[in-house]
Amino acid sequence: MSVPLDTWQERMEVHFADLKARRDRSGLPIFAMEHGLAEESVEEIAAQLRQRLIRGERLETHWLLWTIYAAERGYTYEGGEYWQSFEESTPGWDSRDRYRISKWFRKFQESYNGVVPSGPWAGHFSIIAWPITHAVLPRFLQWQFARTLYDLRYRLARLDDVDPATIGRLIASNAYYASTRLEQFLQQEELVGRLVLALLHQDQIEGEEPLLPATLDRIVSDLEQVRDARAWIKEASRVVSDRFKGLGRDTGSGQPAAARGTKGLSSFEGRPDIRPDLRLHYKGEGNWDIQVDIPSFKDVGALNPEVRQFLKQTRCAVNGSTGKKPPAWLLSGRRQAVLRNWPDPDQPMVAFEAKNGTVDHLLSSECRMSPGPVWLFRIGKDGLAREIAGRTVRPGQTYVIVSKEPLNDPINLHQPCTVNCADIHAIHLNIPEAIPELLAQQLKAWKLEIARTIRVWPAGLPGRSWDGEGRGEWLTTERPCLGISPDHKVKAFQVSIDGSEAQAVPAGEPGEPTFIQLPELTAGRHLLRISAKTQNKEGAGLASHEGYLELRVREPEPWISGTSLHAGLIVTRNPHDATLDTFWQNEFDLSVAGPDGRQVTPSVALHNAAEDEIFTRKVCSSLNLPVSPEVWKKRFNDFLQREKCEWRYLEAASGLLTLDGGELGRYELRFEHEVKPVRWVLRHQSDGIYIRLVDETSQEGTGPVCRFYGMERPRDMQSIDPEKVLQGYRIEPPGGLFTAKIGRSRDYIAVSTGLSDSHLAGLGVRPNHGYISGDPKAIINLLLILRYWNSARVAGDLGSFHRWQVINTLMHGIVGIMAGWDWARAESQYIGAGDPGNALSRLQSLVNHKSGFASVIVRDAGTIAGGRKQLIAWFSDLAKRYRIASDDDLCQFVLELASRPYALPTLYLEGLENRIRRAKASQTLVRAARLAILCTLGASGKAARLLPEADS
């Protein structure tokens, strides 16, 4: 006989009240998943709750059981749509009842000190954040979470302060290879820290367990069923066990994360090591290339979430290199750049497009090359010439000396040498065993020192990147061992590290090595001082010679799928953190380098939210190395047109691109759908395409604002009933643009239903922009509509083609109203012309046939290098010289109007109407700007478009 729901409600009230009383001392919060019920009991309660719901009976009586029920659904949540799966497993549930769930969880929090969802993710998904947070660790995240603990096990073992917020912050700041879903989960730092303590803690104190033992056992049991997770958790536990043992009572502050500040990350107390390394690569015939190797900025990103987000989203430039590096480049595995200009030693080696106070300060103080004016590079046995920061030369070694001024070698020991940088001088110098006096004087004039005759080198496991002159790299898991060998009589060595008290080490006979072993060191830079005590000439007293070694210590880098399996492949991607949408819309630049004549085979796989594979295909036959972005885009475009797998893509939560180079190894790139709290989802069925709006915000009592713009009349807005879109409905042909907005959350999707009719003309649509008023407000509204169409996701057969037809129609209207309809018609003829020569002459004459203004634009616009800023500066100067316009702001505005009109409402938050009026009054300037953009596209090899894709 089943137990009534009233009885279960009473039992759970008693259970959670007792659990709260036991945890009052520690202040640890409680999760709804800590119900302690057996699986059969949970199923029995769930069945009765569903029956009560179907019968239409009151739900509030058993609010605590509904809280447990929702948390259980959160535990089995697969990362897709929580409410859809909730409603499918709960017949009779009304989507409007979801707000009850958050109220019941808040009641649970107030009654039993329940955990509160935190972090940016909880702010965006404020309803489903409750059940998913109270599920502790949903199954779909368990594999990735176990892997993250394994990757960070050494850093966890070195924490000074083992409180949940500190642990959670460490995990969140360093999970660089986590999926978007796991990143969202890790934003709840307090929860993550408590879960780590529960999984890895050895000696928990009764009443201070971060999780109920039965709940922890369940999660661990499920983790052990997941591939590899059991071994990862076991190894992570082994590494941290001694460090965490007996620390349960230290986690009971009961304070929120924000109140405890950011203490405790010992590896963050020092400055991150971001000093760049300069190297010369020999290219033959006395020529060398200069390359910079910049340390990973992961420790910089770990300072706080704001800095990490800044690094992931902001492009940067390298001092001495042209072009921009993609966002997150400094967090990636390969941070090297060949320099064609000698870096300015007065500037940091890295500069970001945007400002960030913390990052700018670190760049200014830490990310710099040696000041010069002379730079010393020692040529190693591997042929690389590495910079010797200590400026010390040794007899019998070979060096490249670099200077901005000509170098004079009075005894002619150098060989011809060229470093492939502008305005730089270099010599290739062999230092003899016996250094002549003239050479010693010249080295001194160059501010270089001749080495003392006490040799220090790494012994045992060799230090990484040892430069032979006092700088090397070790791991935090290693104990550096050094050998010391003098070639003269030394009494003893005094050794100290980071200013600590010196330890005396007896010295052996001349030529006999003495070995010292240091303790394991924390991540960062450490300075080792070695003093050699020698007898003076009279044999009385001690003379001291000192030397310094810089030990750079870092955490071990764990094996990451797609990084250690491709020793023979170098893969560059832009953007670095591209979403699945960016990848599938072929807006992703991929280049693959490797040995000439070898090949790589690309294949694509798509996975749903449960990580089940739903699609896999080869992109194409094997590609010859190297693979350029242009080759990749053509091959992938052919693949998309051939496979017709768009609906599989729309179902996918993530994608995997595998580059198989045979014995060269494999490289894997993962892409994920960007999950929004408000988003459109589509279903393709036999009778058409159905659209539905997913709302996971907390705007109770405020429905979404939904609008539709048809393909045929793309400016005509139609409001859609929120109830209709939340339930889902069939899209009428030929489709159109759907927009949704709730608060700051919004989503846009352009859907094509395929052929617009049964004839050949049905391949396209016939958009009409209708009458366009010349009023600036009407033009701004048109610009906003263009932005919606331009930024929308695309779905459906012929979707991209139909969207571009709409965009071209809207652009024709914008160009016509701003530059004149005769210009708009001439421009359309130019874009569609097989031989654009005559059409270009027509455009040129329409700008200004009385002066050479347009001729100079046609001749020079395509030669302007350096991006948008340089093009604007050139265009403004040209307009002034030909007395077309003297206002730099107006010149910049018309060029922005010509190249990216959809961005104007965000670029000019104030004064946009007035700028539009002034631009309309200067049609010559607007036409000239359009001509300049079209010529720029033509020079770059890009197809001319009414909406150009100009470089930013």
Side-chain angles (χ1 to χ4, degrees):
M1 182 175 178
S2 62
V3 178
L5 286 178
D6 290 343
T7 303
W8 281 121
Q9 176 78 13
E10 293 174 2
R11 288 182 183 178
M12 288 297 95
E13 289 175 355
V14 171
H15 167 78
F16 283 112
D18 179 62
L19 186 58
K20 178 181 181 298
R22 283 186 282 133
R23 290 218 185 141
D24 277 346
R25 179 175 60 176
S26 66
L28 296 175
I30 295 173
F31 299 86
M33 278 291 288
E34 295 184 272
H35 49 68
L37 295 170
E39 185 176 351
E40 314 83 65
S41 299
V42 172
E43 286 302 319
E44 179 184 334
I45 292 171
Q48 292 191 58
L49 289 174
R50 294 188 190 108
Q51 291 173 6
R52 190 175 180 87
L53 179 64
I54 293 172
R55 292 194 299 263
E57 298 176 354
R58 290 188 68 233
L59 307 182
E60 283 76 6
T61 306
H62 307 112
W63 68 271
L64 182 53
L65 301 182
W66 277 109
T67 302
I68 295 171
Y69 179 87
E72 286 285 343
R73 302 288 81 74
Y75 187 71
T76 57
Y77 170 65
E78 294 182 344
E81 298 176 42
Y82 175 84
W83 289 117
Q84 182 181 14
S85 59
F86 185 96
E87 292 164 13
E88 288 174 352
S89 62
T90 316
W93 183 268
D94 191 317
S95 61
R96 291 170 293 186
D97 289 334
R98 64 181 63 175
Y99 300 107
R100 294 184 180 186
I101 294 291
S102 58
K103 289 180 180 178
W104 291 336
F105 272 105
R106 290 188 180 94
K107 185 175 181 180
F108 180 90
Q109 190 274 325
E110 294 169 358
S111 302
Y112 306 113
N113 190 30
V115 67
V116 179
S118 60
W121 173 78
H124 286 298
F125 298 84
S126 51
I127 299 180
I128 68 169
W130 284 99
I132 294 175
T133 297
H134 277 263
V136 188
L137 184 63
R139 284 177 181 163
F140 82 102
L141 293 177
Q142 290 178 358
W143 181 88
Q144 293 184 63
F145 188 73
R147 175 57 189 271
T148 301
L149 292 188
Y150 173 77
D151 291 346
L152 298 175
R153 62 195 185 280
Y154 294 108
R155 301 195 76 160
L156 285 168
R158 286 176 171 78
L159 288 177
D160 285 339
D161 192 359
V162 191
D163 69 87
T166 297
I167 295 172
R169 194 175 305 114
L170 173 66
I171 299 291
S173 298
N174 292 277
Y176 287 95
Y177 303 98
S179 67
T180 302
R181 303 282 185 175
L182 183 60
E183 285 186 342
Q184 292 168 347
F185 172 77
L186 295 179
Q187 289 170 2
Q188 303 171 105
E189 295 174 353
E190 187 87 5
L191 166 62
V192 171
R194 296 196 186 285
L195 183 57
V196 172
L197 285 171
L199 287 172
L200 305 182
H201 207 274
Q202 302 296 311
D203 299 323
Q204 298 187 49
I205 299 173
E206 184 176 357
E208 295 190 8
E209 307 96 335
L211 276 179
L212 190 73
T215 305
L216 175 61
D217 291 343
R218 177 181 176 183
I219 294 175
V220 172
S221 176
D222 287 343
L223 272 169
E224 291 179 347
Q225 304 304 313
V226 180
R227 57 188 175 93
D228 302 325
R230 180 178 184 177
W232 289 336
I233 291 292
K234 182 178 180 181
E235 173 62 13
S237 181
R238 183 193 67 79
V239 171
V240 305
S241 60
D242 292 338
R243 179 67 187 89
F244 278 17
K245 192 170 293 183
L247 289 175
R249 56 178 55 88
D250 292 336
T251 67
S253 68
Q255 293 177 306
R260 286 193 294 273
T262 57
K263 284 179 57 181
L265 294 181
S266 60
S267 60
F268 302 161
E269 291 176 359
R271 289 180 176 271
D273 178 17
I274 53 174
R275 186 186 185 279
D277 290 323
L278 293 179
R279 300 173 184 173
L280 298 178
H281 288 248
Y282 189 61
K283 309 303 290 185
E285 299 182 354
N287 290 304
W288 298 79
D289 275 349
I290 179 71
Q291 176 182 290
V292 63
D293 192 343
I294 301 174
S296 171
F297 271 48
K298 289 180 180 179
D299 282 349
V300 177
L303 293 173
N304 60 60
E306 178 190 351
V307 168
R308 183 185 180 196
Q309 199 68 13
F310 174 82
L311 296 175
K312 292 180 70 174
Q313 295 180 347
T314 312
R315 297 195 305 174
C316 66
V318 177
N319 187 355
S321 177
T322 59
K324 300 287 186 182
K325 300 300 180 184
W329 181 72
L330 289 167
L331 302 175
S332 64
R334 184 176 175 83
R335 302 165 302 276
Q336 299 172 346
V338 175
L339 309 181
R340 292 307 178 201
N341 296 295
W342 192 259
D344 182 354
D346 294 329
Q347 299 295 326
M349 281 301 299
V350 173
F352 285 91
E353 282 188 321
K355 297 292 184 183
N356 180 284
T358 301
V359 175
D360 291 346
H361 175 71
L362 287 172
L363 291 177
S364 178
S365 59
E366 304 295 324
C367 192
R368 288 181 175 275
M369 64 182 293
S370 303
V374 174
W375 293 269
L376 179 69
F377 295 83
R378 182 173 64 85
I379 302 175
K381 293 181 180 180
D382 57 3
L384 292 178
R386 295 175 172 83
E387 185 191 8
I388 304 302
R391 304 174 187 271
T392 302
V393 298
R394 293 188 176 278
Q397 299 293 330
T398 305
Y399 298 89
V400 175
I401 302 175
V402 179
S403 172
K404 286 200 169 184
E405 301 295 332
L407 292 163
N408 179 38
D409 180 9
I411 57 176
N412 199 31
L413 289 175
H414 75 275
Q415 301 174 14
C417 178
T418 301
V419 174
N420 296 321
C421 273
D423 302 323
I424 203 73
H425 304 272
I427 61 173
H428 183 174
L429 188 63
N430 294 306
I431 304 297
E433 292 290 347
I435 299 179
E437 182 62 27
L438 280 176
L439 177 58
Q441 293 176 3
Q442 185 60 63
L443 292 173
K444 184 176 181 181
W446 290 334
K447 301 187 184 304
L448 303 177
E449 295 184 4
I450 300 174
R452 297 189 177 100
T453 54
I454 296 177
R455 189 168 70 93
V456 181
W457 71 97
L461 289 172
R464 294 155 184 83
S465 302
W466 176 256
D467 67 358
E469 299 295 343
R471 189 169 65 182
E473 181 179 273
W474 280 264
L475 302 180
T476 55
T477 55
E478 298 170 346
R479 298 182 62 189
C481 184
L482 300 170
I484 311 173
S485 176
D487 64 355
H488 59 286
K489 186 69 175 178
V490 172
K491 186 75 173 177
F493 301 108
Q494 295 284 334
V495 181
S496 66
I497 188 165
D498 295 335
S500 62
E501 183 178 351
Q503 302 292 321
V505 179
E509 295 298 317
E512 179 180 316
T514 298
F515 296 97
I516 61 173
Q517 188 169 41
L518 305 177
E520 291 183 0
L521 301 172
T522 58
R525 279 186 290 178
H526 301 270
L527 193 66
L528 181 72
R529 190 185 81 168
I530 300 177
S531 300
K533 303 294 184 180
T534 61
Q535 297 284 352
N536 61 22
K537 293 181 179 180
E538 287 73 30
L542 292 173
S544 177
H545 301 288
E546 289 186 347
Y548 296 87
L549 285 83
E550 181 183 326
L551 284 70
R552 303 170 71 168
V553 181
R554 64 171 174 83
E555 300 288 349
E557 291 189 4
W559 174 86
I560 300 296
S561 176
T563 58
S564 63
L565 295 179
H566 55 91
L569 298 174
I570 298 174
V571 178
T572 304
R573 47 184 173 167
N574 184 24
H576 179 267
D577 54 352
T579 64
L580 182 59
D581 294 326
T582 302
F583 172 67
W584 209 261
Q585 291 167 17
N586 211 8
E587 297 174 355
F588 173 73
D589 288 338
L590 176 74
S591 61
V592 186
D596 290 341
R598 305 300 287 275
Q599 294 181 322
V600 63
T601 304
S603 59
V604 167
L606 297 175
H607 300 86
N608 60 20
E611 292 294 325
D612 297 325
E613 187 175 86
I614 59 176
F615 174 83
T616 181
R617 291 286 191 285
K618 279 187 179 180
V619 174
C620 59
S621 56
S622 297
L623 298 172
N624 292 325
L625 295 176
V627 178
S628 68
E630 293 74 23
V631 169
W632 167 253
K633 285 195 171 184
K634 185 178 187 309
R635 293 290 187 268
F636 194 62
N637 183 64
D638 293 343
F639 163 78
L640 294 174
Q641 294 183 1
R642 181 181 73 247
E643 292 297 333
K644 304 296 183 184
C645 49
E646 189 165 283
W647 295 110
R648 285 297 187 185
Y649 148 68
L650 291 172
E651 294 174 23
S654 63
L656 191 70
L657 171 63
T658 301
L659 304 169
D660 190 347
E663 61 266 30
L664 295 179
R666 289 190 311 157
Y667 196 106
E668 294 180 349
L669 297 93
R670 183 181 175 91
F671 307 92
E672 295 186 65
H673 262 312
E674 182 182 3
V675 180
K676 299 179 179 179
V678 173
R679 61 190 183 276
W680 295 102
V681 296
L682 301 170
R683 295 249 181 234
H684 189 223
Q685 299 183 8
S686 59
D687 62 337
I689 302 173
Y690 286 77
I691 191 166
R692 185 168 63 85
L693 184 68
V694 176
D695 173 17
E696 293 178 341
T697 68
S698 62
Q699 305 295 323
E700 184 174 0
T702 303
V705 177
C706 301
R707 292 169 178 165
F708 172 75
Y709 301 83
M711 291 277 187
E712 304 285 351
R713 303 286 291 180
R715 290 180 57 220
D716 292 351
M717 183 270 291
Q718 303 174 34
S719 296
I720 314 176
D721 182 2
E723 288 300 317
K724 182 179 179 181
V725 296
L726 290 172
Q727 295 298 323
Y729 68 99
R730 181 176 174 272
I731 300 174
E732 295 296 328
L737 172 69
F738 294 85
T739 72
K741 176 182 177 183
I742 303 179
R744 294 185 178 181
S745 300
R746 60 200 66 198
D747 191 29
Y748 312 104
I749 187 167
V751 186
S752 168
T753 58
L755 296 177
S756 56
D757 63 42
S758 58
H759 301 290
L760 187 60
L763 289 172
V765 291
R766 293 174 290 277
N768 188 331
H769 56 62
Y771 170 73
I772 301 176
S773 167
D775 180 70
K777 291 182 179 179
I779 295 174
I780 292 173
N781 184 61
L782 180 56
L783 295 174
L784 290 172
I785 294 172
L786 175 67
R787 187 176 70 182
Y788 298 157
W789 282 97
N790 185 62
S791 62
R793 294 180 290 127
V794 180
D797 297 330
L798 302 174
S800 294
F801 177 59
H802 288 172
R803 182 179 69 151
W804 272 112
Q805 285 185 296
V806 170
I807 288 175
N808 285 339
T809 298
L810 296 175
M811 277 301 300
H812 182 79
I814 292 171
V815 171
I817 201 69
M818 297 298 297
W821 294 106
D822 54 345
W823 173 273
R825 287 187 290 270
E827 192 174 299
S828 296
Q829 291 173 2
Y830 168 76
I831 290 173
D835 180 11
N838 291 333
L840 183 61
S841 298
R842 170 66 175 155
L843 290 176
Q844 189 173 334
S845 66
L846 286 173
V847 172
N848 190 330
H849 64 275
K850 293 184 179 179
S851 73
F853 182 48
S855 300
V856 175
I857 292 175
V858 172
R859 185 192 68 193
D860 295 343
T863 67
I864 305 303
R868 186 184 303 277
K869 290 183 178 179
Q870 283 68 26
L871 184 63
I872 290 172
W874 169 82
F875 183 76
S876 298
D877 181 66
L878 190 66
K880 289 176 185 176
R881 283 195 282 126
Y882 281 87
R883 299 184 180 180
I884 303 298
S886 59
D887 187 335
D888 289 341
D889 180 74
L890 179 60
C891 290
Q892 178 173 345
F893 176 77
V894 296
L895 209 60
E896 298 286 10
L897 172 68
S899 59
R900 47 176 182 172
Y902 53 83
L904 293 180
T906 54
L907 290 174
Y908 298 94
L909 298 177
E910 297 180 359
L912 181 55
E913 290 185 29
N914 184 52
R915 287 182 170 91
I916 290 175
R917 289 191 189 95
R918 296 181 62 204
K920 280 190 64 182
S922 182
Q923 280 193 344
T924 296
L925 192 64
V926 176
R927 293 178 177 188
R930 288 291 296 175
L931 182 63
I933 293 298
L934 292 172
C935 292
T936 301
L937 290 175
S940 64
K942 295 180 180 179
R945 278 178 165 173
L946 286 172
L947 182 63
E949 298 174 345
D951 294 333
S952 59

